[in-house]
């Protein structure tokens, strides 16, 4: 299912994401839970699931020209200054909720690697920590913060091919 935003751009909503995975034959599991906005809330609300728990950070450069989705293990802090030196990108900072909605079609709390399904213009760069990329299964929100979806590495890789996003896999500082 798609919805149109105020600018007429289509965004995939949760059921559409599940439909995409089902149609493609990519295995997934989804568990419903109370809304979560932080890692601590997620640890308390989400039942034990297989796979690596992730933290998803949506950042922009100082000029607002580059948008980067950074996926790291849930217990890792991201050093944006060092990440900026490694990419290279200048003055990285958190992107606004408006930018998040415009670029990935989700609201704060709902950002995950699965939001790339809404980045039809490929305006968002993807950086994935090597520990997440090496995991056999990965957890993420299915475009909303009231559920957690678990996918195999193969399903995640196929999803990224489908969306046209090539991950930059690195040890995120």
């Amino acid at each position: 299912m798609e919805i149109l935003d105020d600018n007429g751009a289509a965004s995939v909503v949760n059921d559409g994401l599940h439909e995409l995975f089902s149609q493609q034959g990519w295995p997934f599991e989804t568990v419903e839970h109370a809304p979560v906005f932080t890692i601590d809330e997620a640890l308390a609300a989400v039942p034990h699931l297989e796979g690596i728990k992730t933290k998803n950070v949506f950042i922009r450069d100082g000029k607002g020209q580059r948008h980067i989705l950074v996926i790291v293990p849930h217990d890792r802090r991201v050093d944006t200054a060092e990440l900026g030196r490694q990419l290279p990108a200048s003055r990285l900072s958190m992107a606004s909720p408006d930018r998040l909605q415009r670029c990935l079609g989700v609201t704060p709390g709902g950002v995950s690697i699965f939001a790339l399904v809404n980045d039809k213009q490929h305006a968002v760069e993807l950086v994935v920590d090597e520990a997440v990329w090496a995991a056999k299964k990965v957890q993420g929100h299915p475009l909303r913060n009231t559920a957690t979806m678990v996918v195999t590495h193969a399903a995640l890789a196929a999803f990224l091919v489908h969306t046209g996003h090539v991950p930059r896999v690195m040890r995120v500082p």
Side-chain angles (χ1 to χ4, degrees), residues 68-72 83 87 125-129 167-170 172:
I68 306 162
L69 178 59
V70 182
I71 313 294
V72 297
L83 180 61
L87 287 180
E125 299 172 44
L126 175 62
V127 173
V128 179
D129 187 81
R168 179 173 179 164
V169 179
M170 62 187 287
V172 175

Side-chain angles (χ1 to χ4, degrees), residues 65-84:
Q65 295 177 341
R66 287 178 72 184
H67 299 91
I68 306 162
L69 178 59
V70 182
I71 313 294
V72 297
H74 79 283
D75 56 357
R76 172 100 40 89
R77 295 186 66 121
V78 177
D79 180 342
T80 55
E82 181 56 30
L83 180 61

Side-chain angles (χ1 to χ4, degrees), residues 33 36 109-112 114 139-149:
H33 52 73
V36 295
V111 68
S112 77
F114 303 121
Q139 298 180 24
H141 291 306
L143 310 181
R144 59 188 172 90
N145 67 346
T146 58
T148 297
M149 191 166 156

